[in-house]
């Protein structure tokens, strides 16, 4: 999927591709821009935990664009400050920031919904307006 953005594409950093940075930044913006930094970092953890999990695509963009997994649609980035913050959090996550907020979560949702899958997985955390879960296969934290 390609998203129209009004903000400039982020610059790549060592070991972080522009593509991964843009996909993760957009996911954080559209899924969690109203969250504080900790909430956005937690959503980034889920995405990166999925990249490391055998059941999910092996790239950030593959995870973010996987059919039926994230609720946001193609859209415009209208809040440049919020997008810049999402970029900073995405960049840190991709550069190896510790994943210690969600205890290995690979799923999340807001309290406004109660997906059927939430009964199948172990609840690990509630951060901001998201509830986090992990499947039966625990991934090592880095």
């Amino acid at each position: 999927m390609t998203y129209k953005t009004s903000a400039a594409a982020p610059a790549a950093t060592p070991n972080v591709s522009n593509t991964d940075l843009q996909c993760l930044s957009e996911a954080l913006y559209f899924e969690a821009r109203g969250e504080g930094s900790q909430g956005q970092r937690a959503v980034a953890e889920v995405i990166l935990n999925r990249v490391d999990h055998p059941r999910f695509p092996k790239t950030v963009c593959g995870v973010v664009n996987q059919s039926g997994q994230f609720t946001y649609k193609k859209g415009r980035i209208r809040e440049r400050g919020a997008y810049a913050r999402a970029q900073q959090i995405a960049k840190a996550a991709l550069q190896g920031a510790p994943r210690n907020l969600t205890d290995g979560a690979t799923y999340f949702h807001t309290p406004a919904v109660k997906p059927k899958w939430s009964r199948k997985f172990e609840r690990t955390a509630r951060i901001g307006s998201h509830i986090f879960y992990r499947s039966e296969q625990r991934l090592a934290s880095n």
Side-chain angles (χ1 to χ4, degrees):
M1 275 186 213
T2 303
Y3 297 96
K4 293 180 180 181
T5 63
S6 58
T13 58
N15 301 320
V16 175
S17 76
N18 276 335
T19 304
D20 285 346
L21 185 55
Q22 183 170 352
C23 285
L24 188 54
S25 297
E26 288 175 357
L28 296 180
Y29 177 84
F30 287 110
E31 289 287 327
R33 85 175 154 267
E35 295 292 315
S37 295
Q38 187 177 34
Q40 287 191 11
R41 287 192 341 257
V43 170
E45 277 186 30
V46 168
I47 293 167
L48 295 179
N49 287 344
R50 285 182 174 205
V51 170
D52 293 342
H53 196 286
R55 279 197 213 137
F56 295 96
K58 299 296 169 216
T59 66
V60 171
C61 292
V63 166
V64 169
N65 295 317
Q66 188 177 16
S67 180
Q69 297 298 307
F70 292 93
T71 58
Y72 70 90
K73 310 281 188 223
K74 292 181 182 181
R76 296 185 74 79
I77 293 174
R78 299 180 190 281
E79 299 173 38
R80 290 183 185 212
Y83 186 69
R85 185 172 65 130
Q87 283 179 311
Q88 290 175 338
I89 291 167
K91 184 179 183 181
L94 290 167
Q95 289 177 327
R99 293 187 221 164
N100 54 9
L101 296 172
T102 67
D103 199 20
T106 49
Y107 297 88
F108 68 92
H109 67 82
T110 68
V113 298
K114 180 98 174 157
K116 290 180 184 179
W117 55 256
S118 67
R119 290 174 283 197
K120 297 178 187 176
F121 301 126
E122 179 183 354
R123 183 175 171 170
T124 63
R126 179 166 180 169
I127 300 170
S129 63
H130 289 104
I131 302 168
F132 296 86
Y133 301 83
R134 69 172 176 230
S135 63
E136 70 287 347
Q137 184 175 356
R138 176 75 169 100
L139 298 175
S141 296
N142 60 347

